[in-house]
Amino acid sequence: MARKEKIEEYSGPAGGWGSMKSVTRHMLKQDAVRAAPLLPKQNKQDGFMCVSCAWAKPEPPHAAEFCENGAKATFFELTGKRTTPEFFTRHTLTELRTWTDHDLENQGRLTQPLRYNPETDRYEAVDWSEAMAEIGRELAAIRSRDPKRAVFYTSGRASLETSYMYQLFARIYGNNNLPDSSNMCHETTSVALPETIGQAVGTVRLEDFDQVSTLLFFGQNVGSNSPRMLHQLKDAVERGATIITFNPLKERGLVRFVDPQNPVQMLTPNETRISTLYHQVRAGGDIAVMVGIAKALVALDDEAQAQGAPRVLDTAFIAQHTAGLAEFDAYVRAQAWPDIEQESGVSRGDLEVVAGIYAKSPSVIGVYGMGLTQHKLGIDTVQMLTNLLLLRGNIGKPGAGICPVRGHSNVQGQRTVGIAERPELVPLDRLAEQFGFEPPREKGLNTVEACEAIVAGEVDAFVGLGGNFLRAIPDRDVMEANWPRMRLTVQIATKLNRSHLFCGDVAYLLPCLGRIEIDRQASGEQLVTMEDSTSVFHKSRGMQEPASEHLRSEPWIVAELAKATVPGESTVDWDGWVGDYGKVRDAIEGTWPDKFGGFNRRIHEPGGFPKPLPARERVWKTENGKANFKVPQALHASFDPGTDDKVLRLITLRSNDQFNTTVYGYRDRFRGIEGTRMVVLMNQGDIDRLGLKEGQEVGMQTVADDHVDRRMQGFKVVPYDIPAGCVGAYYPEANALIPLYQHAERSFTPAAKSVPVRMLKPEPGIV
Ligand SMILES: Nc1nc2c(c(=O)[nH]1)N[C@H]1C(S)=C(S)[C@@H](COP(=O)(O)OP(=O)(O)OC[C@H]3O[C@@H](n4cnc5c(=O)[nH]c(N)nc54)[C@H](O)[C@@H]3O)O[C@H]1N2
Ligand SMILES: Nc1nc2c(c(=O)[nH]1)N[C@H]1C(S)=C(S)[C@@H](COP(=O)(O)OP(=O)(O)OC[C@H]3O[C@@H](n4cnc5c(=O)[nH]c(N)nc54)[C@H](O)[C@@H]3O)O[C@H]1N2
Ligand SMILES: [Mo]
């Protein structure tokens, strides 16, 4: 389908009328008008939790507790369009592989279980019972050879109940191969924070935004990816709080916001300025930024000491609660300003101003997203942020803390209920006792390791509980080529996506209920639960009739898979659980009584109920019982070899019109890019220097040392306000350029925010 392309600067704020127009257009396009009455129930106690982001749900909620992108997500899920078996009589998978992500999902909801027929190259309708029987036989056969040759992936949307059942199924099957979307996302957080503050998640709750005096905002695009958070930011700014942002791009939501729910703001040109200071850090330059701020802070502290003034560092906190300051202090003093300026792209003067504000702020929150986690030294970067906060005791006091903004609506919760490839994170003895089986103790595969194992021919079966694995992972071309070597592929999904177009010898596509649909089981309508970015558990009840009578709930599907594959190998009452999800919640409480005590009762409390956060109470569950300063390995977090000025750092970006690989449309309104996603955003100086022209089509080639030639063509050059040496392109389109082995050290999160690339002119040949 030809689309009109338009690239021009967007002058509006985030939110406002632009957002209202966009929501209405999506509702009509998706034929989802009947879903409109449900929006007031979104993120409310008596309603459903948004299927888009994981941002916190305030109590009491705003009159409308949804945003432009949350409404789009609802309409896209409750679309009137259907992908029926008849659709596949018209299209082979070979043909569908030429379609875009948008066109695939835009066919609407899957309606029936499907089995791939290699002879016709099509999906064909199949009965549930037949599907489950064959999948069970295949999985059992693989298990009898080696249970480690199957992988059980989860995307972060499935409920706590489904996730708990799924990890049990995998463990009864005999492995810990439970990679999940978090491996590509905040896994860096989950490895970094336990070492510094003794917990894997943030310390901030919503009430802290009422007391915060300064927010340091790193690499998170709030206007597109967690827009409801703009309410807290706007309120904080109006109270006089300062927001200081570090981001290579001037993201609109971090600059200005008009509250679409506030009639006064909508009718007057009254925008709220969000960021007081905005620094366009180089991709991967955040360690240098924070070292600079810390260095300036230490200098201020020296000065205060010399003058006998009150100390700038919180010495009482540091003495009582932390370890490692001396080494960190020595490191910071030893770093030279020219190096810090070079790596960060921010001047000493600017960083000193930030340090000055930080030094005077009684309570500071550090917020971050993929801009920090998706780098080679992502862990060092996140730990550098905790260093900075610890210097002034900004963890474990009101209005302060660290705030990783999670992605998928239940990605954090899945980890809480056992989706983890690292067995030490799960109370396996308790599971053994509860369910009468011997859980495997060997470490399982994370996402990158699962990909490597598939390429090495060491995986026979892949089961995907949601998501779009092949599109979300790095090295797409290599992975697509190797995928069909597997014996069995099973995808549980709501919409058709590219991952479904690559099949093992035996392949099934199983359609499930979405979260917003009514889920009727033996004991009546069910509710499910999830955990938000601030570690609060919420309930969610489906409210719309299912898209097809053939859909089954995720708990039902997982239970049937387990019954067909590992019958009688545990005491799990799969049917009883499916009949009443409250029994699954009781089992979860049995596994983690400290976190889920009173689960079935407390989930009905207004605003949900919080998970205990030890670091919030200044209890440090680290090895030494202290909060730890950590010295970073380098000043920049990237793979960039550094000396060759033709090598640029590629940042892969989300538009305002997508949820991960689900591309709603082609309007990245805030960045002024419409009608196309095949663009490369470039600094004008780099365009000139490399002899390129605005609007020209170019390619990119990854700089890698594994002799694999990763190149893509067809990106249009768009001059953009981005630091020299950095370029931007959209995810997932650009994923073929990311090498699997270029991931964050130790967390294995793919380094999607600084891929070293060279630009290619359309004729082969390197610029
Ligand atoms: N509408 C919508 N909502 C979503 C999603 C979606 O796709 N659409 N995805 C969900 C998911 S799973 C996730 S994980 C989150 C993702 O939400 P975010 O964490 O916001 O992720 P990104 O949009 O990938 O990139 C974040 C920002 O990092 C900046 N950045 C890139 N490199 C650097 C760097 O080196 N340093 C700094 N300081 N900044 C950098 C980019 O310019 C961008 O503004 O959102 C969730 N919510
Ligand atoms: N280059 C690059 N790559 C990235 C990133 C990046 O910033 N840059 N970000 C990474 C991040 S943060 C993440 S989280 C991953 C995302 O990776 P995934 O979580 O695997 O991908 P999604 O695009 O969220 O999955 C969308 C699909 O989920 C299915 N789905 C939707 N709702 C449901 C449901 O209720 N149940 C079931 N069973 N299925 C459902 C639909 O079929 C839909 O097509 O991508 C990662 N990849
Ligand atoms: Mo994510």
Side-chain angles (χ1 to χ4, degrees):
M1 202 194 351
R3 288 179 305 270
K4 211 169 138 256
E5 294 180 10
K6 194 169 108 191
I7 295 169
E8 62 185 24
E9 204 180 321
Y10 177 68
S11 56
W17 291 113
S19 129
M20 302 272 281
K21 269 195 338 220
S22 162
V23 165
T24 313
R25 192 174 49 241
H26 276 273
M27 178 180 74
L28 297 174
K29 243 175 69 184
Q30 287 304 317
D31 185 17
V33 177
R34 72 205 163 108
L38 294 185
L39 287 183
K41 296 282 185 196
Q42 193 151 322
N43 296 319
K44 299 279 182 65
Q45 173 73 5
D46 61 344
F48 60 94
M49 291 302 133
C50 181
V51 295
S52 192
C53 81
W55 185 240
K57 337 282 170 185
E59 176 54 36
H62 296 90
E65 192 56 53
F66 64 88
C67 65
E68 168 183 350
N69 285 339
K72 279 188 211 168
T74 299
F75 292 136
F76 212 67
E77 172 152 333
L78 299 182
T79 175
K81 302 179 189 183
R82 299 288 179 267
T83 309
T84 62
E86 195 269 332
F87 168 84
F88 294 99
T89 63
R90 287 181 279 122
H91 306 285
T92 61
L93 297 206
T94 304
E95 181 208 331
L96 291 171
R97 285 196 286 270
T98 65
W99 289 30
T100 62
D101 298 300
H102 171 73
D103 290 342
L104 289 173
E105 287 211 42
N106 197 34
Q107 299 311 305
R109 293 286 300 278
L110 293 161
T111 61
Q112 262 174 260
L114 301 162
R115 184 185 196 283
Y116 178 61
N117 182 343
E119 269 156 39
T120 59
D121 189 31
R122 291 168 208 275
Y123 274 118
E124 293 168 358
V126 60
D127 285 342
W128 277 108
S129 56
E130 208 183 303
M132 291 302 180
E134 184 174 26
I135 296 168
R137 269 198 314 275
E138 288 287 335
L139 278 174
I142 293 164
R143 181 173 184 244
S144 66
R145 289 197 299 276
D146 181 358
K148 289 195 248 340
R149 295 181 70 90
V151 166
F152 299 90
Y153 173 69
T154 331
S155 161
R157 195 174 287 193
S159 65
L160 293 172
E161 292 79 357
T162 307
S163 305
Y164 183 75
M165 293 169 71
Y166 193 65
Q167 59 86 28
L168 264 180
F169 169 42
R171 295 197 159 103
I172 297 167
Y173 185 84
N175 68 46
N176 288 302
N177 293 342
L178 288 157
D180 74 343
S181 60
S182 153
N183 289 144
M184 299 179 256
C185 185
H186 270 290
E187 184 63 17
T188 300
T189 297
S190 310
V191 177
L193 295 187
E195 295 174 354
T196 54
I197 60 166
Q199 65 180 43
V201 298
T203 64
V204 164
R205 304 251 204 233
L206 266 185
E207 63 255 33
D208 290 314
F209 288 86
D210 299 335
Q211 293 186 51
V212 63
S213 49
T214 294
L215 288 117
L216 299 175
F217 220 97
F218 288 92
Q220 202 272 334
N221 187 7
V222 62
S224 289
N225 297 332
S226 52
R228 287 182 304 106
M229 186 184 192
L230 282 170
H231 290 293
Q232 281 80 41
L233 300 185
K234 174 174 166 289
D235 291 349
V237 167
E238 287 174 357
R239 252 191 329 94
T242 303
I243 299 184
I244 303 175
T245 297
F246 294 91
N247 194 311
L249 305 187
K250 275 265 172 80
E251 302 286 23
R252 186 45 47 102
L254 284 160
V255 179
R256 294 179 280 140
F257 175 54
V258 164
D259 184 353
Q261 296 174 33
N262 178 332
V264 179
Q265 262 208 337
M266 284 291 278
L267 293 170
T268 60
N270 238 347
E271 303 164 356
T272 303
R273 189 182 64 177
I274 297 292
S275 299
T276 316
L277 295 175
Y278 204 119
H279 295 298
Q280 288 178 273
V281 57
R282 286 179 72 194
D286 302 272
I287 298 178
V289 162
M290 292 186 262
V291 168
I293 298 172
K295 189 174 172 72
L297 202 69
V298 166
L300 288 174
D301 189 61
D302 289 347
E303 230 173 87
Q305 263 184 295
Q307 293 167 4
R311 294 285 298 265
V312 171
L313 305 188
D314 186 341
T315 47
F317 170 83
I318 291 171
Q320 187 186 346
H321 289 288
T322 72
L325 177 70
E327 209 189 335
F328 178 72
D329 179 76
Y331 169 80
V332 163
R333 289 176 192 276
Q335 303 312 303
W337 277 109
D339 295 341
I340 292 172
E341 290 183 312
Q342 163 71 24
E343 294 300 348
S344 66
V346 185
S347 74
R348 172 178 182 171
D350 283 343
L351 294 175
E352 285 174 339
V353 169
V354 176
I357 296 171
Y358 181 62
K360 293 203 176 73
S361 300
S363 50
V364 176
I365 293 178
V367 180
Y368 68 95
M370 297 301 100
L372 296 199
T373 63
Q374 295 178 333
H375 287 290
K376 179 185 179 206
L377 295 190
I379 290 183
D380 302 62
T381 312
V382 170
Q383 294 188 334
M384 195 55 220
L385 185 53
T386 54
N387 292 335
L388 199 55
L389 293 168
L390 291 175
L391 284 175
R392 284 189 37 83
N394 277 310
I395 296 199
K397 75 179 177 194
I402 190 156
C403 182
V405 182
R406 300 275 167 170
H408 269 291
S409 50
N410 193 36
V411 65
Q412 184 172 315
Q414 296 185 333
R415 290 298 209 195
T416 307
V417 296
I419 300 284
E421 75 284 358
R422 287 187 283 149
E424 70 275 15
L425 299 179
V426 185
L428 296 177
D429 293 336
R430 182 93 40 89
L431 293 181
E433 197 183 310
Q434 271 178 293
F435 304 111
F437 75 106
E438 192 35 59
R441 307 278 164 165
E442 210 175 299
K443 188 192 155 304
L445 302 172
N446 59 33
T447 292
V448 164
E449 290 164 343
C451 291
E452 288 166 349
I454 289 168
V455 171
E458 292 163 2
V459 177
D460 294 327
F462 179 95
V463 182
L465 178 59
N468 190 356
F469 188 82
L470 266 172
R471 205 64 185 150
I473 54 175
D475 256 338
R476 179 171 65 238
D477 295 345
V478 180
M479 289 307 301
E480 286 183 353
N482 281 283
W483 198 259
R485 293 169 64 194
M486 285 186 282
R487 169 70 188 169
L488 175 72
T489 54
V490 179
Q491 302 280 1
I492 302 161
T494 51
K495 298 264 185 85
L496 182 64
N497 66 42
R498 192 168 168 91
S499 294
H500 309 151
L501 307 178
F502 294 83
C503 296
D505 301 337
V506 177
Y508 281 91
L509 178 49
L510 306 177
C512 63
L513 291 175
R515 186 187 298 159
I516 316 174
E517 289 170 314
I518 302 169
D519 182 352
R520 296 185 181 88
Q521 303 294 346
S523 67
E525 286 181 17
Q526 302 298 308
L527 58 83
V528 291
T529 55
M530 47 230 58
E531 177 179 341
D532 71 25
S533 266
T534 59
S535 302
V536 176
F537 300 116
H538 301 273
K539 68 177 177 185
S540 177
R541 190 182 287 282
M543 312 198 85
Q544 173 132 327
E545 282 301 323
S548 146
E549 56 174 334
H550 303 293
L551 302 186
R552 295 291 181 270
S553 76
E554 289 178 329
W556 183 90
I557 294 172
V558 173
E560 291 300 312
L561 288 174
K563 282 161 58 188
T565 309
V566 284
E569 298 207 20
S570 71
T571 58
V572 176
D573 176 15
W574 296 107
D575 289 330
W577 284 8
V578 172
D580 177 1
Y581 300 172
K583 292 183 177 162
V584 187
R585 288 188 286 278
D586 285 338
I588 294 175
E589 180 176 345
T591 310
W592 294 276
D594 47 336
K595 292 180 183 142
F596 289 98
F599 197 0
N600 270 309
R601 173 177 49 78
R602 294 177 70 202
I603 202 62
H604 297 289
E605 289 169 11
F609 72 97
K611 179 171 84 172
L613 296 175
R616 215 181 142 70
E617 318 298 328
R618 296 193 166 171
V619 173
W620 318 103
K621 303 259 185 192
T622 50
E623 266 176 26
N624 57 1
K626 298 276 185 193
N628 290 304
F629 286 94
K630 293 274 175 186
V631 173
Q633 299 177 58
L635 277 180
H636 78 76
S638 306
F639 283 93
D640 191 337
T643 46
D644 183 343
D645 68 0
K646 288 188 174 160
V647 176
L648 307 174
R649 288 182 190 167
L650 168 66
I651 306 172
T652 55
L653 292 163
R654 292 165 161 78
S655 85
N656 187 49
D657 216 4
Q658 75 184 86
F659 186 88
N660 296 339
T661 69
T662 296
V663 177
Y664 302 133
Y666 293 86
R667 285 172 188 249
D668 193 0
R669 198 171 77 246
F670 299 153
R671 300 201 186 103
I673 297 165
E674 295 194 10
T676 177
R677 292 175 53 89
M678 287 302 284
V679 290
V680 53
L681 312 183
M682 293 187 74
N683 178 288
Q684 186 66 53
D686 288 335
I687 297 178
D688 297 341
R689 185 168 66 85
L690 298 173
L692 303 174
K693 282 196 290 294
E694 171 171 2
Q696 178 182 5
E697 276 209 4
V698 295
M700 283 186 264
Q701 182 184 32
T702 310
V703 180
D705 47 20
D706 65 347
H707 307 292
V708 176
D709 186 11
R710 296 174 184 83
R711 63 172 79 201
M712 287 183 71
Q713 293 288 349
F715 296 93
K716 185 174 281 190
V717 172
V718 173
Y720 204 81
D721 185 5
I722 185 172
C726 303
V727 295
Y730 288 120
Y731 142 68
E733 284 78 359
N735 278 30
L737 292 170
I738 307 177
L740 253 183
Y741 72 87
Q742 287 188 357
H743 52 72
E745 286 181 3
R746 299 198 289 136
S747 71
F748 289 77
T749 301
K753 294 291 185 269
S754 53
V755 186
V757 294
R758 289 171 194 279
M759 307 308 293
L760 301 174
K761 294 231 172 100
E763 329 60 64
I766 293 172
V767 173

